[in-house]
């Protein structure tokens, strides 16, 4: 193991930890706000809630925070693959750069399919 | 959803997290039957909830294991190419199956896992350090804090390990479990990866595999924020507590008791 490997490990670890902390924080805030001030919306799907919030129709800020928290959590492993891919590119490790790119490509296709 | 229901789901998640952590399983195996049998949540929503919880616990655990250098990142990412495909296939299969069919498949798997747990006599030893091993891109090395030794290993039979990973990914997408119960023994016994590295590498892969399944459930509209968020927070907190409790508790008796509970839950699920 060399220093480059350790840098890669640090980045991957930081990415995962940050993702979990941010998403858990958003979900805690969302639950607290939703408990104190529940909106009238009956929508339960995160994409629909975030979509409404982005178009300015924020019925319940608590639900919006919950949804963004869940989506952040779901994206955390994908961002981790990206972080690992970047470190492989910097290490000039072609084989594992391609492996990371292949995993990311599958996710990009899947996320595009989900959004549609 | 009322604050009371949110609290109940969170406590249920915490219970699943503590128990899963003490038993060395993911939270999903406890969370899904609890959501379906106790809270009467539809099977597809319970699976989607479990997948989100699995991402949370895997990511938190992997952050720690990567820092401790017990994860074989290159091996994990090689196997992720097939676990992601498997999870996509599993998620898509689940989307065309009825809730009853999924419940029955889950119950059968629960009985099989109970049998495996019942027969499991304990952990196996890690392969001893061998300084003569040649370094390859998949070879690994870590410092074992328990023994004070540096453990080196080579990964063998990669194609076989990829086949097991594809199956584990499929189970993850289909039933919302991590799949570590298949990957860890295979990585250790088939590929010669020491148990500590196998467990850490499997946990590292679970987040990406579960995320692949989660996006299918999201697209199908089975992900309910009111259930998934408190359950994920509960499982995350519970599994962290479970890790601390495991230092003081002997898991053997708990494992035996849990085998009985798993079989009872499976029978109840089959009778629904």
């Amino acid at each position: 193991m060399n220093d480059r490997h350790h840098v890669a490990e640090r980045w991957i670890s930081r990415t995962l930890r940050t993702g979990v902390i941010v998403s858990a924080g958003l979900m805690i805030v969302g639950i607290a706000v939703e408990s104190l001030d529940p909106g009238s919306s009956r929508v339960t799907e995160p994409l629909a809630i975030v979509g409404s919030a982005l178009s300015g129709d924020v019925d319940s800020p608590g639900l919006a925070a919950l949804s963004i928290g869940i989506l952040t959590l779901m994206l955390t492993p994908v961002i981790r693959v990206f972080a690992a891919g970047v470190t492989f590119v910097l290490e000039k490790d072609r084989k594992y750069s391609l492996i990371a790119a292949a995993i990311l490509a599958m996710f990009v296709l899947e996320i595009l399919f989900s959004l549609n | 959803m009322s604050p009371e229901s949110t609290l109940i789901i969170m406590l249920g998640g915490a219970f699943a997290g503590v128990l899963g952590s003490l038993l060395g399983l993911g939270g999903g195996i406890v969370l899904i039957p609890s959501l379906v049998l106790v809270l009467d949540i539809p099977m597809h929503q319970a699976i989607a909830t479990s997948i989100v919880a699995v991402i949370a616990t895997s990511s938190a655990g992997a952050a720690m294991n990567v820092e401790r250098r017990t994860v074989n990142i290159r091996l994990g990412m090689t196997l992720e190419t097939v676990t992601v495909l498997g999870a996509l296939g599993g998620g898509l299969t689940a989307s065309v199956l009825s809730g009853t069919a999924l419940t029955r498949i889950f119950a059968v798997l629960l009985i099989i896992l109970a049998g495996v747990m019942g027969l499991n006599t304990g952990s196996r030893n890690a392969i001893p350090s061998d300084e003569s091993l040649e370094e390859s891109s998949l070879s690994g090395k870590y410092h074992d804090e328990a023994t004070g030794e540096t453990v080196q290993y080579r990964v063998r039979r990669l194609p076989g390990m990829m086949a097991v990973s594809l199956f584990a990914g499929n189970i993850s997408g289909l039933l919302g479990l991590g799949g570590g119960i298949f990957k860890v023994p295979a990585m250790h016994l088939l590929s010669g990866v020491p148990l500590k590295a196998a467990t850490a590498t499997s946990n590292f892969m679970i987040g990406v595999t579960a995320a692949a399944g989660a996006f299918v459930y999201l697209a199908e509209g089975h992900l309910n924020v009111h259930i998934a968020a408190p359950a994920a927070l509960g499982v995350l907190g519970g599994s962290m507590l479970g890790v601390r409790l495991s230092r003081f508790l002997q898991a053997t008796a708990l494992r035996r008791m849990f085998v009985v509970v798993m079989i009872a839950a499976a029978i109840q699920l089959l009778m629904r």
Side-chain angles (χ1 to χ4, degrees), chain A residues 5-6 9 13 17 20 31 44 46 63 66-67 73 77 80 84 88 91 93 96 99 103 106-107 110 114, chain B residues 10 52 55 59 63 66-67 69 74 77-78 80-81 88 137-138 204 207-208 212 215-216 223-226 229:
Chain A
H5 278 94
H6 297 335
E9 285 162 353
S13 177
R17 186 165 290 134
V20 173
I31 288 174
T44 58
L63 269 188
L66 276 181
S67 303
L73 186 61
R80 185 272 275 168
F88 291 142
E91 287 176 16
D93 188 334
Y96 288 95
I99 285 177
I103 300 169
M106 284 190 267
F107 272 108
E110 193 190 2
S114 302
Chain B
M10 204 182 273
V52 171
I55 297 173
S59 300
V66 167
E67 230 162 49
R69 294 175 191 147
R74 281 170 167 76
M77 292 194 63
T78 304
E80 278 169 3
T81 54
L88 282 172
S137 67
L138 282 182
F204 175 76
V208 165
F215 281 107
V216 179
L223 196 52
N224 184 329
V225 283
H226 296 288

Side-chain angles (χ1 to χ4, degrees), chain A residues 55-105:
Chain A
S55 62
D57 180 18
V58 189
D59 171 58
S60 166
L63 269 188
L66 276 181
S67 303
I68 297 169
I70 287 179
L71 294 176
T72 306
L73 186 61
M74 286 168 63
L75 284 171
T76 296
V78 186
I79 299 167
R80 185 272 275 168
V81 175
F82 179 75
V86 170
T87 58
F88 291 142
V89 169
L90 293 176
E91 287 176 16
K92 296 189 174 68
D93 188 334
R94 208 174 180 181
K95 183 179 169 189
Y96 288 95
S97 303
L98 285 173
I99 285 177
I103 300 169
L104 279 176

Side-chain angles (χ1 to χ4, degrees), chain B residues 105-123:
Chain B
I105 296 170
F106 186 86
V108 170
L109 187 79
L110 212 53
I111 292 170
I112 294 169
L113 293 182
V116 171
M117 273 182 73
L119 293 172
N120 191 1
T121 51
S123 62

Side-chain angles (χ1 to χ4, degrees), chain B residues 47 91 105 112 124 140 145 176 222 224 227 230:
Chain B
I47 292 174
I105 296 170
I112 294 169
R124 294 170 178 83
E145 286 171 11
H222 295 306
N224 184 329
I227 303 167

